[in-house]
Amino acid sequence: MNLDNMKQWYKGHRYDVFVMLSCFVFILLTALAIDKEILQFPYIVLLLIGLYVLCFHTEKFFYLTCFIIPFSIELREITPKVTSSLSIPSELMLVGLTLLFICDLILRRDYSNDIKRHGVSRLFYFYFFWLLITAIVSTLPIVSFKFMAAKLWFILPAYFFFASLLEKNIKKASTFFLSYVLGVAVVTPQGRGVVLAKRQVAYWVMSPYYNDHTAYGAVLAFFLPILALLPFVKSLEKWKKWLSLVLIIPIATGLYLSFSRAAWLSLIVAIGVLSILLMKIKFKVVFAGLAVVLALGILWGPDLMRQLSKNEVDSSSGNLVEHIQSMSNISTDASNVERLNRWVSAWGMFQDKPVFGFGPGTYQFNYAQYQKPAYRTIITTNAGDGGNAHSEYLGPLSESGLLGMLIVITLVLMVLVKGINVYRYAKDHDIRIYALMSTLSLITYFLHGILNNFLDTEKLAIPVFGAMAVIVVCDIKYKKELEESSSNGNTLHAEDDLYLSEHKG
């Protein structure tokens, strides 16, 4: 065989040669690792495979990360001597995605202008700017910059990178959601939960994947509206529709067994919002009703507080009815009173530093001195090392000042309003369904966020920011739909015309 024939053969068998050489090198390195007792070698191989998939199959790597997130375990669970709360391997994968995405932005500079200039994206820019300012003046700068770094590797992949995928094909939203919920369904402890359906079991049955039953409940409540509505997407493959219906069973069962009162309540409110949208009740009527309820609450507030103080049903009860009744017990229920303790502490911290706060991520290191004796419980710690502010809104208030909280509230309201508008006025059926399911899921979390905060963990940050990306892309497609109708000389509805003029402005 001459040289030309060898070159011709190689061109047709390059892949086979690569595989054989790779296998040979792998066997050789494995033999050397065994001989030298290098036990870390298998992890190095996994790392190299992960880097290959990350660089050459980035989208698949993103979905794989979503599937793995529910299985990830905090580093301190694996190595007790290490106090880091870094989740392994999901956060390392998110860091890789973030670095690759940043490099791609710098080198290619072809990111979508529609996404870059969207109102939600601009709010995220301002959010990071304010995090940077408050981190610089933080009481614990190192903690604050670590907090900011974590937010970067949550928001850049789940919102900005994912939005760029969605803009090319909105059906990728179903792949994202199903990738994540498949992982959740696998770790949902159905067997143990059904056998030991008791309130006490709910504290540990989700461990070590979720360190809190309320976080576990929040994830399950978040995905139920998505699974229920995905089958209504006309362009979705049949197997995905059936998979969504099948997954409702373990997720709904897991939600019940989580005994998370906030998750149950948030899902009920989401169903209420869905009912309002389906019945096409004007939101002016809804807001008027809420205003009346608020006025009555203020008027009868003292009497209501006296009645609540008489409720002594404890959340540790295994009885479902009593567990629900315990939601209003603010006198003897340790869980409820401890929340009040965290909120009062957050308010005290805000009063001391109303402009810049104590610094992002520093609440848990500063709230001890602000605890009030009236709200101390058996789970209160003198060192104040019990965690966060138990609120997605009061946490930023104490850590980043008034502006920090206002940014979060504005972001929440903007995303929900845009999601509802797309569902109500868009012509494309599938766009409406994707917007609706994402909006309802976010409602479950943002309502849950009044009582707990989990966006400092990838377990909830990734699905929440991913749902925001879905709404933003649906909103962009709705805007283009309006522009096409306007350019074709079609008459727009008053709401559409107003939306388009505001969007252009």
Side-chain angles (χ1 to χ4, degrees):
M1 181 181 289
N2 57 36
L3 185 61
D4 290 335
N5 289 336
M6 290 180 64
K7 288 181 178 179
Q8 194 67 28
W9 179 87
Y10 176 73
K11 286 181 180 179
H13 296 82
R14 281 181 297 181
Y15 181 77
D16 297 329
V17 171
F18 173 77
V19 171
M20 287 189 292
L21 286 176
S22 298
C23 291
F24 175 75
V25 172
F26 175 75
I27 293 170
L28 179 62
L29 292 176
T30 301
L32 289 172
I34 293 172
D35 181 59
K36 301 297 183 181
E37 297 185 356
I38 303 174
L39 303 180
Q40 294 80 10
F41 180 72
Y43 301 107
I44 297 173
V45 174
L46 283 176
L47 177 62
L48 293 174
I49 293 173
L51 288 173
Y52 170 78
V53 178
L54 171 64
C55 295
F56 297 100
H57 303 280
T58 309
E59 185 177 339
K60 292 178 181 178
F61 186 88
F62 175 66
Y63 298 135
L64 177 64
T65 303
C66 294
F67 175 74
I68 287 176
I69 285 174
F71 297 94
S72 296
I73 301 173
E74 290 186 357
L75 189 57
R76 57 190 172 194
E77 294 282 345
I78 303 171
T79 310
K81 293 181 180 179
V82 178
T83 59
S84 174
S85 59
L86 187 75
S87 289
I88 303 297
S90 60
E91 289 199 63
L92 295 179
M93 298 172 77
L94 290 169
V95 170
L97 275 167
T98 301
L99 293 175
L100 184 67
F101 179 64
I102 292 173
C103 291
D104 187 66
L105 287 178
I106 294 172
L107 297 174
R108 296 177 62 184
R109 299 183 180 181
D110 62 346
Y111 193 74
S112 166
N113 286 327
D114 289 328
I115 299 173
K116 280 194 298 187
R117 296 171 183 172
H118 195 276
V120 173
S121 300
R122 288 174 175 174
L123 261 179
F124 274 124
Y125 305 150
F126 189 52
Y127 172 72
F128 279 117
F129 168 76
W130 190 245
L131 275 185
L132 177 62
I133 296 299
T134 53
I136 292 172
V137 298
S138 171
T139 56
L140 297 167
I142 294 178
V143 172
S144 295
F145 279 107
K146 285 182 178 179
F147 180 90
M148 185 176 175
K151 287 294 183 182
L152 276 171
W153 67 63
F154 292 162
I155 294 174
L156 289 185
Y159 176 79
F160 287 100
F161 172 73
F162 182 45
S164 66
L165 297 179
L166 289 169
E167 194 176 35
K168 298 172 186 174
N169 186 356
I170 193 64
K171 287 172 62 177
K172 292 179 180 180
S174 62
T175 307
F176 167 75
F177 288 130
L178 288 174
S179 296
Y180 193 104
V181 79
L182 270 172
V184 175
V186 172
V187 303
T188 300
Q190 301 297 332
R192 289 183 294 169
V194 172
V195 175
L196 302 169
K198 297 180 180 179
R199 175 70 181 90
Q200 292 79 4
V201 176
Y203 281 121
W204 57 262
V205 75
M206 79 299 300
S207 298
Y209 308 109
Y210 290 85
N211 58 13
D212 189 280
H213 76 105
T214 52
Y216 173 64
V219 168
L220 299 174
F222 180 91
F223 279 105
L224 274 176
I226 291 170
L227 294 175
L229 290 172
L230 265 179
F232 293 95
V233 178
K234 291 181 179 179
S235 62
L236 197 66
E237 297 90 335
K238 285 186 177 180
W239 70 269
K240 286 186 177 180
K241 294 182 180 182
W242 282 108
L243 179 61
S244 301
L245 293 173
V246 170
L247 287 173
I248 287 177
I249 298 172
I251 299 302
T253 306
L255 177 61
Y256 167 72
L257 296 175
S258 73
F259 279 86
S260 174
R261 298 165 295 174
W264 296 345
L265 177 63
S266 67
L267 185 61
I268 291 171
V269 172
I271 293 172
V273 173
L274 175 62
S275 302
I276 291 170
L277 291 172
L278 292 177
M279 292 188 289
K280 298 182 179 180
I281 299 173
K282 292 184 177 180
F283 276 88
K284 292 180 181 179
V285 177
V286 177
F287 291 136
L290 291 174
V292 171
V293 171
L294 181 61
L296 292 175
I298 294 173
L299 182 63
W300 293 335
D303 292 334
L304 181 62
M305 292 300 293
R306 281 194 292 271
Q307 289 298 321
L308 292 179
S309 64
K310 294 178 182 178
N311 181 4
E312 296 185 354
V313 179
D314 196 86
S315 62
S316 62
S317 172
N319 183 284
L320 177 62
V321 176
E322 291 182 355
H323 190 65
I324 295 173
Q325 290 174 344
S326 70
M327 295 174 72
S328 61
N329 179 0
I330 59 171
S331 57
T332 61
D333 186 278
S335 177
N336 293 346
V337 179
E338 180 61 21
R339 272 190 179 81
L340 294 176
N341 179 43
R342 303 296 178 85
W343 296 346
V344 169
S345 299
W347 180 254
M349 291 170 66
F350 162 70
Q351 289 179 312
D352 271 5
K353 293 182 178 292
V355 180
F356 298 108
F358 280 73
T362 63
Y363 173 90
Q364 60 182 317
F365 303 104
N366 289 291
Y367 84 90
Q369 59 184 312
Y370 293 93
Q371 297 182 109
K372 303 295 183 183
Y375 300 106
R376 296 181 68 85
T377 68
I378 57 173
I379 57 177
T380 300
T381 63
N382 293 326
D385 55 358
N388 52 44
H390 280 287
S391 172
E392 291 291 357
Y393 312 103
L394 293 178
L397 180 70
S398 62
E399 295 179 346
S400 300
L402 179 61
L403 186 56
M405 184 184 73
L406 291 178
I407 293 171
V408 172
I409 293 174
T410 304
L411 181 64
V412 169
L413 293 177
M414 180 182 288
V415 169
L416 295 183
V417 168
K418 288 189 178 296
I420 290 171
N421 280 340
V422 172
Y423 168 72
R424 292 177 69 183
Y425 303 122
K427 304 297 185 294
D428 189 296
H429 175 271
D430 287 356
I431 292 296
R432 295 178 69 227
I433 298 299
Y434 280 123
L436 178 62
M437 70 171 68
S438 300
T439 302
L440 294 177
S441 294
L442 288 176
I443 285 173
T444 68
Y445 184 75
F446 291 143
L447 184 67
H448 198 123
I450 297 173
L451 303 172
N452 295 291
N453 59 311
F454 302 116
L455 289 185
D456 54 353
T457 68
E458 89 290 358
K459 302 281 188 181
L460 273 148
I462 299 306
V464 167
F465 294 130
M468 288 185 181
V470 174
I471 289 176
V472 165
V473 173
C474 288
D475 187 55
I476 290 170
K477 291 184 179 296
Y478 171 44
K479 174 201 167 188
K480 290 180 179 179
E481 181 183 281
L482 294 183
E483 289 175 342
E484 289 176 4
S485 296
S486 178
S487 62
N488 292 333
N490 298 333
T491 303
L492 299 179
H493 294 292
E495 296 89 348
D496 294 341
D497 193 35
L498 177 63
Y499 174 87
L500 192 55
S501 61
E502 288 178 347
H503 206 99
K504 287 181 177 178

